[in-house]
Amino acid sequence: MFSDRAWIHVQAGKGGDGGLSFRREKFVPKGGPDGGDGGRGGDVVLLADASLRDLSALQRRRWIKASRGENGRGARKHGADGGDIEVRVPVGTQVLADGGLIADLAHPGARVVLAKGGHGGKGNARFVSSTRQVPRFAEVGPPGEERDVELHLKLLADAALVGLPNAGKSSLITRISNAKPKVASYPFTTLQPVLGTVESPDGRQLVVADVP
């Protein structure tokens, strides 16, 4: 069925922990702290894609989580950043959270960060000072943002079926799309517009409306 609404839970990646390490080499038995910083957690990003026509893909993907950043290591090696997650939605998708509209992806390529990843924790090498030469602690990476989001799609059909009552419009849209309108052998079976998506040979989705 055509889906114009979806509810998803997004969780950005946790920041990597800072490294707790001290330089140890053959001729340097008591080297200084050299723990690197943790990597940034990945963001969850919504991107408007002109080739999509409905939100049906998100009906099966309700929980979206980005990867965490890697921990810092010795020799001042910083952890790698977590990978961002891009969620593609149709153009015209509105994003609602906390009771209000937070974004309207009105044109192809429009994007919004739904949840921002946690920053990487600082390694113990960053805490050296004149009064603290050997810090034996590092910073823990904070968790990423987490929230529930509601998506609304402003509907726009590519084509509409127009004809006399009981002419077979509903039967046709049932055969060519994934829509399941009521089909019966009497006039005015269809009382509200019914939308169905059709997969075109080049992979694009087209929206067809059965108009009462």
Side-chain angles (χ1 to χ4, degrees), residues 123-136:
N124 66 335
R126 299 269 288 238
F127 294 100
V128 175
S129 68
S130 58
T131 58
R132 185 170 51 209
Q133 297 291 325
V134 189
R136 299 184 179 279

Side-chain angles (χ1 to χ4, degrees), residues 38-170:
R40 176 187 63 82
D43 299 336
V44 179
V45 180
L46 217 59
L47 179 67
D49 186 338
S51 68
L52 299 179
R53 285 294 181 270
D54 72 356
L55 298 168
S56 57
L58 294 177
Q59 299 298 326
R60 304 179 299 274
R61 189 185 179 193
R62 297 296 181 90
W63 188 292
I64 299 169
K65 183 178 180 180
S67 59
R68 61 163 290 163
E70 292 185 1
N71 295 337
R73 294 172 290 168
R76 297 179 184 266
K77 292 181 180 178
H78 297 334
D81 293 339
D84 295 340
I85 293 290
E86 271 193 356
V87 181
R88 296 179 178 272
V89 295
V91 175
T93 298
Q94 295 180 319
V95 186
L96 297 92
D98 305 319
L101 180 68
I102 62 173
D104 188 350
L105 306 181
H107 58 84
R111 66 194 304 273
V112 61
V113 177
L114 294 182
K116 194 169 183 59
H119 65 78
K122 296 177 182 177
N124 66 335
R126 299 269 288 238
F127 294 100
V128 175
S129 68
S130 58
T131 58
R132 185 170 51 209
Q133 297 291 325
V134 189
R136 299 184 179 279
F137 60 88
E139 188 178 43
V140 175
E145 295 177 344
E146 187 172 358
R147 70 198 313 185
D148 291 309
V149 174
E150 184 177 354
L151 305 178
H152 288 187
L153 176 60
K154 294 180 288 187
L155 300 181
L156 180 65
D158 295 294
L161 302 179
V162 181
L164 295 173
N166 207 28
K169 300 185 296 297
S170 297

